[in-house]
Amino acid sequence: MARTDRGGERTGTGVVAARNVSRTFFLGEPVHALRDVTLTLEEGSFTAVMGPSGSGKSTLMNLLGCLDTPDQGTIEIDGRSVGDLSGAERARLRGREIGFVFQTFNLMPRLTAAENVSLPMVFNDVVDADRRERARTLLERVGLGDRLDHAPNELSGGQRQRVAIARALANEPTLILADEPTGNLDSETGREIMDLFDELHAEGRTILMVTHERHIAERADRIVTLVDGQLERIEDVSDVVPSGPTVLDDRDAPTEPDGGEGA
Amino acid sequence: MRIRESIRISWRAITGHKLRSTLTTIGIVIGIGSIIAFMVLGGAFEEDVLGGFDTEDQTLVLVQTQGEVDGGFGFQTFSDPIYTQNDVEAIERIDGVEFVDPDGTIPASQVRRGSETTVSFTVRIAKPASFSKNVSGSFVAGEAFADEGEAVIDTELAESLGGNVSVGEEIRVTFTDGTRRSFTVSGIYAAENQAPGTGTSVYVPADPYYNVTVDTHRGTEAIAYSSLTVWVDSIEDLSAVQSAADEYFHSGESDAEHLVDDDKQIAVQTFDALLAQVGEIFDQVTIFIAGIAGIALLVGAIGIANIMIVSVTERTREIGIMKAVGARQRDIVQLFLVEALILGIIGAIGGVMLGIGTGYLLVGYAGFPMIYPIDWIVIAVFVGIGVGIVSGLYPAWRAARVDPIEALRRE
Ligand SMILES: Nc1ncnc2c1ncn2[C@@H]1O[C@H](COP(=O)(O)OP(=O)(O)OP(=O)(O)O)[C@@H](O)[C@H]1O
Ligand SMILES: [Mg+2]
């Protein structure tokens, strides 16, 4: 887990912020995926994002993860506007400082689990032996130590999700963006993954996590709710009343609208 | 990204689609294969004709009848008997000429040695002195004939007559006019550096066996030969003799220029000039083959580019993933260029193997020695690499520009 794995210097992501960000897609009718969203992620903070399907959660993640650029407003990482960075600098941020767990996993279909986890390190010039060692460690950490050489199509949905999580941690990112990381997991595995996120949080990393489940969201410091592309509210978890006894039916389909947070 | 990683990843993409990758490289394989095969054949031909001897030191001038080849490259040599004894004597009077060796064949149907006979052979006339000139080879046994009862045979004929022929043995030649004649073998000659098809010969003195005659423009009947080899005293005299002889055959005085067919010319050349002429034909054919090969390579390049574009489209999602986990544009360019490069190198190697294999078969069929055109093989591999890079540029550029967001939304 040594941070000396990486070539070059770390810049860290520091404070990550979206300032008055809008994002509109044009598919015939314009779709306003995000409207004037302002959100600041303090260094080391843990934020949960909730909101119904189509409310713009993944769009926000993509913007903060330097994969997409806003139509209006700015994304700032450590005080620098992402729009001012070159393509190579953005790629470097994505590769070294940001760990992305995609809602749809986005694993390379022809690579094994271990190779998928190694991929970010390949682009970061980590030597072969170190990569393999680290991929094994990470996969063991998400409970897949016995699936190193399986291709994604030989893994269950939940296992793929955990490979995606392990891959996001490959380069020891300072910012972790996780889009429903427990969406496909049973409550037991989900809890283990949440414990992992707690550990990552304790290590001082900045975490933003999309979830549809209130009790999962409550493990964060803050809960941000998006509705229709707009920031509806930001709650500090210490302020809110815990949402009753946790129902153990965790396996909501991720695409299902989740209006249950309106209490 | 390290090159080694790109090679590993690209290699997987290539071996993941074996059939497609194979088809892609076929254009390059054929293009490079045809160049190499031709170079093997050409080099082998040259090796067979020249055998590595030094053409510049040959103190001779060749007088031959040449004409165009119908619908083909270059020229053809004819053996019409037009060079009369009168011409031979005129040339021998030129300063610096050592002697003239007229060439002609005597029609014959059979040669026999004891119980061995062969019908595929040629009776050629020669002067004893011409054997001592290194252009045509050397004696493996015996020496040139000293009188009309003796003959020299070449090693190929000796083989056809059962081999192990020794000097002093008798051979019987049946001429086409029905006469038969016994000769004592005075020497066995290893004829090197001959043009293909001139082997298996008996050499006899022209007098008294050669009696091909023509009617000259002067109204006389004269013995005539099909070509002349003019031996020159020293290399310094070569060009003077060549121009003097050339002048003679175009002065109106020679018998030959009156006998030569209208569509043919009398060529008076040094050995060097003759080889240069052959070389020129060779160059023309080379350009022709290079043109065909160039087209095949172009098709090959388009094939690679096409497959790579398909592959970029197919792998858009994967490109998106790689970008999302930190691949820069240049990493993606590198990946696809390496893939095109590997295809180019595979095509070049396949082409070289195909070319050498085809060349080997053709050379064996033509009876030439096999040669390996190393310089062309090296060039071919570089051409393959070049074609790979050029055809990979555009697809790689397209791949690098893939928008990760759009790519990741693909199913
Ligand atoms: N690349 C795109 N092109 C066109 N429309 C898009 C694109 N990405 C997102 N959208 C639209 O933007 C809106 C927000 O999408 P987004 O994926 O951010 O929703 P989400 O909150 O993540 O939903 P879910 O909970 O279902 O994942 C949707 O209406 C979607 O159709
Ligand atoms: Mg989403």
Side-chain angles (χ1 to χ4, degrees):
Chain A
M1 299 281 253
R3 290 197 167 193
T4 48
D5 272 354
R6 64 198 64 250
E9 275 178 34
R10 291 193 68 99
T11 50
T13 49
V15 178
V16 178
R19 299 203 195 287
N20 306 103
V21 162
S22 295
R23 182 75 172 100
T24 306
F25 295 103
F26 294 93
L27 290 172
E29 295 274 296
V31 178
H32 300 285
L34 283 182
R35 283 189 258 215
D36 198 26
V37 170
T38 297
L39 178 68
T40 305
L41 307 180
E42 295 297 339
E43 192 167 5
S45 64
F46 186 175
T47 309
V49 181
M50 301 194 75
S53 180
S55 58
K57 305 183 293 295
S58 298
T59 306
L60 178 63
M61 288 262 169
N62 290 340
L63 290 170
L64 291 170
C66 300
L67 275 176
D68 200 2
T69 43
D71 301 311
Q72 278 161 34
T74 52
I75 303 291
E76 280 171 25
I77 291 182
D78 204 17
R80 291 183 70 188
S81 166
V82 170
D84 296 341
L85 300 178
S86 69
E89 284 173 314
R90 277 206 295 270
R92 190 188 162 97
L93 268 181
R94 286 199 293 264
R96 298 187 178 179
E97 309 299 346
I98 302 172
F100 220 123
V101 183
F102 294 96
Q103 191 172 13
T104 49
F105 319 145
N106 287 332
L107 299 178
M108 297 282 269
R110 283 177 302 171
L111 301 185
T112 64
E115 287 167 333
N116 264 291
V117 175
S118 296
L119 195 63
M121 295 185 269
V122 169
F123 296 113
N124 206 5
D125 291 345
V126 178
V127 296
D128 201 19
D130 293 353
R131 276 199 323 249
R132 229 169 318 176
E133 186 48 44
R134 179 141 175 79
R136 176 203 304 280
T137 311
L138 285 169
L139 283 168
E140 277 166 1
R141 199 164 167 192
V142 296
L144 289 177
D146 54 345
R147 293 286 187 277
L148 297 178
D149 298 322
H150 287 241
N153 63 7
E154 296 163 352
L155 296 173
S156 74
Q159 288 170 333
R160 287 180 214 180
Q161 187 151 40
R162 285 181 278 161
V163 175
I165 292 168
R167 184 181 64 186
L169 303 179
N171 283 329
E172 295 260 329
T174 48
L175 172 64
I176 296 169
L177 301 170
D179 205 342
E180 294 199 53
T182 58
N184 285 285
L185 303 179
D186 60 276
S187 51
E188 176 56 28
T189 320
R191 239 191 307 278
E192 284 169 20
I193 292 301
M194 282 316 297
D195 290 344
L196 175 57
F197 274 88
D198 281 344
E199 278 173 45
L200 295 168
H201 179 39
E203 285 168 14
R205 296 173 214 274
T206 312
I207 302 175
L208 184 72
M209 182 169 73
V210 172
T211 181
H212 283 284
E213 295 156 81
R214 186 78 194 171
H215 71 278
I216 299 248
E218 280 169 2
R219 295 182 69 156
D221 306 334
R222 291 190 303 171
I223 301 175
V224 170
T225 305
L226 282 176
V227 174
D228 251 354
Q230 281 172 310
L231 203 62
E232 176 101 340
R233 88 185 86 98
I234 302 181
E235 312 156 72
D236 277 339
V237 171
S238 49
D239 298 347
V240 298
V241 188
S243 62
T246 307
V247 183
L248 286 187
D249 178 20
D250 289 345
R251 309 212 49 172
D252 286 1
T255 48
E256 248 173 47
D258 186 349
E261 82 277 39
Chain B
M1 184 172 41
R2 287 154 206 263
I3 285 285
R4 226 177 55 125
E5 294 301 332
S6 336
I7 292 174
R8 227 168 46 93
I9 296 174
S10 303
W11 182 248
R12 278 174 86 136
I14 288 169
T15 51
H17 294 101
K18 283 199 189 63
L19 179 65
R20 193 168 83 182
S21 305
T22 310
L23 292 175
T24 309
T25 56
I26 278 183
I28 293 195
V29 170
I30 290 175
I32 288 179
S34 55
I35 295 179
I36 298 290
F38 181 72
M39 289 306 154
V40 169
L41 194 61
F45 174 74
E46 213 167 321
E47 180 74 16
D48 190 63
V49 173
L50 299 180
F53 81 7
D54 201 348
T55 62
E56 283 169 20
D57 293 346
Q58 298 305 317
T59 52
L60 61 83
V61 172
L62 291 163
V63 182
Q64 294 175 322
T65 312
Q66 294 182 349
E68 303 281 323
V69 180
D70 287 339
F73 290 103
F75 67 95
Q76 188 179 350
T77 307
F78 296 93
S79 53
D80 312 349
I82 59 169
Y83 304 96
T84 64
Q85 192 60 37
N86 190 49
D87 290 339
V88 170
E89 283 160 16
I91 296 296
E92 277 183 331
R93 280 193 298 272
I94 295 174
D95 266 353
V97 171
E98 189 184 349
F99 68 95
V100 174
D101 184 20
D103 190 31
T105 57
I106 306 170
S109 55
Q110 195 188 66
V111 59
R112 106 183 276 149
R113 165 202 176 208
S115 58
E116 304 275 353
T117 61
T118 183
V119 294
S120 53
F121 74 109
T122 313
V123 180
R124 295 173 186 283
I125 57 171
K127 285 194 169 171
S130 58
F131 289 109
S132 65
K133 301 292 187 181
N134 66 357
V135 65
S136 34
S138 58
F139 282 103
V140 294
E143 55 189 17
F145 40 74
D147 65 51
E148 61 175 72
E150 291 183 336
V152 168
I153 64 172
D154 66 13
T155 46
E156 290 174 42
L157 182 61
E159 276 312 307
S160 306
L161 292 174
N164 286 326
V165 179
S166 40
V167 172
E169 282 191 49
E170 291 284 308
I171 54 167
R172 282 184 76 79
V173 177
T174 307
F175 293 102
T176 312
D177 64 9
T179 58
R180 285 192 194 162
R181 188 72 168 84
S182 281
F183 294 91
T184 306
V185 175
S186 70
I188 297 161
Y189 197 69
E192 294 158 10
N193 315 323
Q194 282 182 324
T198 57
T200 323
S201 300
V202 183
Y203 297 91
V204 298
D207 185 38
Y209 309 107
Y210 189 79
N211 43 30
V212 176
T213 57
V214 293
D215 295 321
T216 68
H217 67 291
R218 290 174 279 113
T220 58
E221 195 184 6
I223 287 192
Y225 307 99
S226 44
S227 68
L228 306 177
T229 303
V230 182
W231 290 100
V232 178
D233 286 329
S234 75
I235 193 93
E236 287 77 33
D237 297 323
L238 196 60
S239 63
V241 168
Q242 188 270 334
S243 41
D246 194 45
E247 198 175 306
Y248 170 74
F249 280 111
H250 297 94
S251 63
E253 286 167 38
S254 70
D255 294 336
E257 64 193 296
H258 295 282
L259 291 164
V260 71
D261 290 344
D262 286 347
D263 57 345
K264 298 169 190 166
Q265 305 92 41
I266 296 167
V268 181
Q269 295 169 301
T270 61
F271 206 67
D272 243 12
L274 178 69
L275 286 172
Q277 196 180 2
V278 173
E280 238 166 70
I281 304 170
F282 206 74
D283 290 348
Q284 284 175 24
V285 180
T286 306
I287 290 168
F288 179 70
I289 298 283
I292 292 176
I295 292 169
L297 284 177
L298 185 67
V299 171
I302 293 171
I304 289 192
N306 183 42
I307 287 296
M308 297 287 302
I309 290 170
V310 170
S311 155
V312 167
T313 311
E314 261 185 18
R315 281 191 277 164
T316 299
R317 197 178 150 81
E318 287 180 37
I319 296 166
I321 296 172
M322 291 194 282
K323 285 192 152 187
V325 301
R328 290 161 301 174
Q329 290 207 343
R330 46 175 285 200
D331 294 324
I332 305 293
V333 166
Q334 186 176 319
L335 267 181
F336 280 85
L337 274 190
V338 165
E339 186 170 333
L341 195 62
I342 293 176
L343 289 173
I345 292 174
I346 291 175
I349 291 173
V352 166
M353 293 198 303
L354 178 76
I356 289 180
T358 311
Y360 184 82
L361 291 179
L362 291 175
V363 160
Y365 183 73
F368 299 149
M370 180 65 189
I371 60 121
Y372 295 91
I374 300 296
D375 42 353
W376 281 96
I377 290 171
V378 173
I379 291 171
V381 171
F382 278 101
V383 166
I385 291 171
V387 167
I389 290 178
V390 168
S391 51
L393 279 176
Y394 175 67
W397 178 78
R398 273 189 39 166
R401 283 169 39 100
V402 162
D403 174 9
I405 287 295
E406 287 304 314
L408 292 176
R409 287 173 66 84
R410 290 222 184 176
E411 276 317 311

